[in-house]
Amino acid sequence: MKNDIILAGVGGQGILSIAAAIGLAAVKNNLHIKQSEVHGMSQRGGDVQSHLRISDKPIASDLIPKGKTDLILSVEPMEGLRYLPFLSKDGWLVTNITPFNNIPDYPGLDDILKQIKLLPNHIAIDADAIAKQAGSSRSSNIVMLGAASPFIDIPFERLEDGIRQLFGKKGEELVNTNLKALKAGRDFTEKNR
């Protein structure tokens, strides 16, 4: 078993929380994991990306070669397109469709969605709207994790355990909101893939 995942977004969108939840789930499932992170001016809306490698065997490098990524999980649509050279021919792009307009010449959303729809394997989800329905607009990153979960080779229950562990110290209400967000994202992908 091997899963190479790129997490992409901009500062403040919860990329590192997604990575932590997956990491906790992987460790609980007795899997090896390596992670690297790049934060480019993330405090000012700059890009944040993480390479996450999960395997049942030891992993030599924390970086994923171009063309080898099984999954790009993007919480911002243009950031998802940025990492397409890393995607394998059978890989999946799972992206939020809500743009974060952090540059003056940000392309139109229709143009971005047209590019995404050209990919054979993609899920484009309005994670912000689903997070609001689940009880907290701040949980859109966890909606995204749920939407990507069918392509992560870890049982869904382990991802739920990762959420419980990650948010447990912040109270039961927050845990339950995030579990609801996780399930809502998963349900979206199961209905739309």
Side-chain angles (χ1 to χ4, degrees), residues 138-175:
R138 296 184 67 192
S139 297
S140 66
N141 61 331
I142 303 303
V143 170
M144 290 306 305
L145 174 57
S149 65
F151 314 111
I152 300 172
D153 204 5
I154 295 176
F156 187 71
E157 296 75 24
R158 292 291 189 212
L159 292 172
E160 290 177 318
D161 290 342
I163 294 293
R164 287 185 188 97
Q165 192 173 347
L166 184 64
F167 295 106
K169 289 181 181 173
K170 296 181 178 178
E172 190 174 327
E173 185 178 336
L174 187 61
V175 168

Side-chain angles (χ1 to χ4, degrees), residues 61-128:
S61 171
D62 55 357
L63 295 177
I64 303 168
K66 284 187 178 176
K68 299 293 184 185
T69 299
D70 302 302
L71 168 66
I72 296 173
L73 189 172
S74 177
V75 295
E76 202 285 327
M78 198 165 82
E79 290 297 324
L81 294 179
R82 179 198 299 259
Y83 297 101
L84 285 182
F86 285 89
L87 194 62
S88 73
K89 64 179 171 66
D90 299 323
W92 281 81
L93 170 67
V94 179
T95 184
N96 189 3
I97 62 167
T98 304
F100 188 93
N101 292 305
N102 55 353
I103 55 174
D105 56 347
Y106 193 99
L109 182 59
D110 288 344
D111 293 335
I112 293 172
L113 293 178
K114 259 186 222 169
Q115 292 299 312
I116 290 168
K117 288 176 182 171
L118 292 174
L119 298 170
N121 300 321
H122 70 274
I123 299 290
I125 176 173
D126 187 347
D128 291 51

Side-chain angles (χ1 to χ4, degrees), residues 17-37:
S17 294
I18 295 172
I22 296 172
L24 291 167
V27 168
K28 205 157 193 168
N29 223 36
N30 297 317
L31 296 169
H32 297 270
I33 183 165
K34 287 215 175 196
Q35 179 187 358
S36 69
E37 300 166 2

